[in-house]
Amino acid sequence: MSELTELTIAEAARLLRLHSISATELVTAHVERIDHVDHLVKAFLRFTPELYERQADDADEKLKRGEGGPLTGIPLAVKDVLCVKGVETTAGSQILRGFKPPYTSTAVARLFEAGAVMLGVTNCDEFAMGSSTENSGYFPTHNPWDLDRVPGGSSGGSAAAVAAGEAMISLGTDTGGSIRQPAAVCGVVGMKPTYGRVSRYGLIAFASSLDQIGPFARSVEDAALVLEAMAGHDPLDATCSDRPNDVRRDFDKGVKGMRLGVPYEYTQVEGMERGVKDAIDAAIKTLEQAGAEIVDVKLPHTDYGLAAYYIIAPAECSSNLARFDGVKYGLSVQDVDNITEMYMRTRRQGFGTEVRRRIMLGTYALSSGYYDAYYLKAQKVRTLIKRDFDDAFSKCDAIVSATSPVVAFPIGSRTEDPLSMYLCDVLTLGGNLAGLPGISLPCGTSQGLPVGLQVLAPQWREDVALRVARAYEVASGVKAEVAAVG
Ligand code: GLN
């Protein structure tokens, strides 16, 4: 394995600036690594040589002139839900096969401006619905640490690419845990920002009141750098805030004197593996030894969160996915007698089982006569969850817990039982319902597989989540390693 594919941004930026390596060399090393391992990992759906060759040249020009920033020349992979002009973007779905967006999403455009080099598009669960990447309309991605296991989801390709050394950084989206959970089970860092921190312009929507774009990386600092480059006001997304972009404030100040809350309910979730619990207990001890005060907090409505999420997210998706009807984008079944038949056959052929299940559940929850009983009630539960977090944060600065109750599970072991798949999100989706920032970072192993520590902070306090995560990384010495693969 080439050492160039194991660097962090900070290390690579130093070498690039010293002209010890060029951006082209760095990118070539990653392309070679992809050639070597991606037939096993299958993190990528497609590659973008026309982009990475030009962007690497541009980066080298800049570096020669002594210009550019920390992301100049850094190899990036992008989840298949973020539009990139002229690059086939399909949300992991057959229904969008062949769709080439006429514009680039703000998050990606900002990373391009910062000098990142896009290697390709990563696999994901169809329309980001899932926790294992097995719902991809193309093929499953494999966990680089054990190829018989899932990489988590829905941003499984992005997490696996970084874990396998195929990309230095990548982008994912998190609606109920889809950045943090795959980061946890692939042993990398993944961050979901506060709702409204990063523009969603150009993101193929799943559930618009929950979706956020965020980074994967192999260090907390790298995740912070990528987030900082993407964050901030965008007139093209009305929900994107113009608050100061201060996510790296106090980054290295440590946790001395901070109060970290451990929610009782998050330690009691159904199916929590012994080894995961032990790794998290040890991580909390490490934070205490680093000077944090550990306090007990309560999130009493946790159990209802899962039920509320699985009404709200399908309801929003049923509305968002109505636009895929074969008229304007992607697949269009033509041998039909009338337009209604075209809609029906296009959607039946183009959408997979899980997407169809969610559209039906969501349509039902929103339909007249059921709206109050399901959707309205779920929104009320959402308010209660938000209040739980407000109460908890009156007693602590940040919340620490496991990210996923289990390590990566074997491919195929949960596909027959959607409920067992939904349980993967029990510790993450509260953060989406309440709009909070959250990060997952590696904190050891269970059964030889990575375990992730989750840090949740109050809205707009990415700085707090990053500071705690950084403090843990320093105190524990646990680093996101690149998996050998195969
Ligand atoms: N696993 C959750 C779901 O299937 C979360 C997905 C996500 O965050 N995009 O809805």
Side-chain angles (χ1 to χ4, degrees), residues 37-287:
V37 300
D38 203 59
H39 66 286
L40 300 170
V41 177
K42 297 175 95 57
F44 285 86
L45 285 173
R46 45 199 90 90
F47 299 98
T48 47
E50 60 298 329
L51 264 180
Y52 64 68
E53 283 166 14
R54 180 170 53 75
Q55 288 174 331
D57 281 347
D58 290 352
D60 278 327
E61 282 302 312
K62 277 222 169 88
L63 289 161
K64 253 185 234 149
R65 294 197 299 266
E67 294 167 9
L71 298 185
T72 304
I74 299 300
L76 160 78
V78 177
K79 184 179 182 181
D80 190 29
V81 291
L82 286 155
C83 289
V84 181
K85 187 175 175 180
V87 174
E88 187 181 352
T89 307
T90 69
S93 181
Q94 289 293 340
I95 207 161
L96 274 173
R97 199 168 204 154
F99 172 61
K100 290 191 176 165
Y103 57 88
T104 299
S105 49
T106 298
V108 172
R110 288 194 179 161
L111 295 186
F112 285 178
E113 276 157 35
V117 177
M118 177 167 170
L119 299 172
V121 177
T122 53
N123 196 17
C124 60
D125 287 301
E126 188 178 4
F127 286 98
M129 296 173 197
S131 303
S132 68
T133 315
E134 292 163 295
N135 295 338
S136 162
Y138 300 90
F139 44 76
T141 293
H142 299 252
N143 191 307
W145 294 102
D146 178 344
L147 295 169
D148 294 330
R149 291 176 186 259
V150 302
S154 64
S155 317
S158 289
V162 170
E166 296 175 81
M168 200 174 290
I169 51 172
S170 62
L171 291 186
T173 53
D174 191 313
T175 305
S178 279
I179 293 174
R180 290 161 288 160
Q181 184 258 10
V185 303
C186 284
V188 298
V189 179
M191 181 154 198
K192 173 217 175 282
T194 303
Y195 183 79
R197 177 68 84 178
V198 176
S199 167
R200 290 178 296 112
Y201 176 73
L203 164 65
I204 301 176
F206 162 13
S208 307
S209 77
L210 300 161
D211 298 340
Q212 264 295 290
I213 300 161
F216 290 94
R218 286 194 301 268
S219 76
V220 178
E221 184 183 25
D222 286 6
L225 285 168
V226 179
L227 173 59
E228 186 176 55
M230 290 190 293
H233 182 60
D234 177 14
L236 300 171
D237 172 4
T239 65
C240 185
S241 165
D242 59 1
R243 285 170 181 258
N245 188 353
D246 57 359
V247 299
R248 284 204 297 145
R249 182 178 71 187
D250 299 339
F251 184 64
D252 260 317
K253 287 228 170 112
V255 282
K256 210 173 172 104
M258 285 183 104
R259 291 166 309 164
L260 300 181
V262 177
Y264 171 76
E265 294 77 6
Y266 279 24
T267 62
Q268 301 297 316
V269 299
E270 202 185 312
M272 168 83 79
E273 276 172 29
R274 181 81 237 171
V276 171
K277 192 175 181 319
D278 290 347
I280 298 303
D281 288 347
I284 292 170
K285 270 257 138 52
T286 302
L287 285 162

Side-chain angles (χ1 to χ4, degrees), residues 308 311-312 371-383:
I311 294 289
I312 294 169
Y371 183 95
D372 288 6
Y374 294 104
Y375 186 69
L376 202 64
K377 184 158 269 151
Q379 291 291 13
K380 288 181 179 164
V381 172
R382 186 172 186 176
T383 303

Side-chain angles (χ1 to χ4, degrees), residues 8 21 47 53 101 157 260-261 278 305 325 350 359 417 436 443 461 483:
T8 62
I21 57 168
F47 299 98
E53 283 166 14
L260 300 181
D278 290 347
D325 56 10
I359 291 173
D417 179 5
L436 311 174
C443 73
R461 297 311 304 268

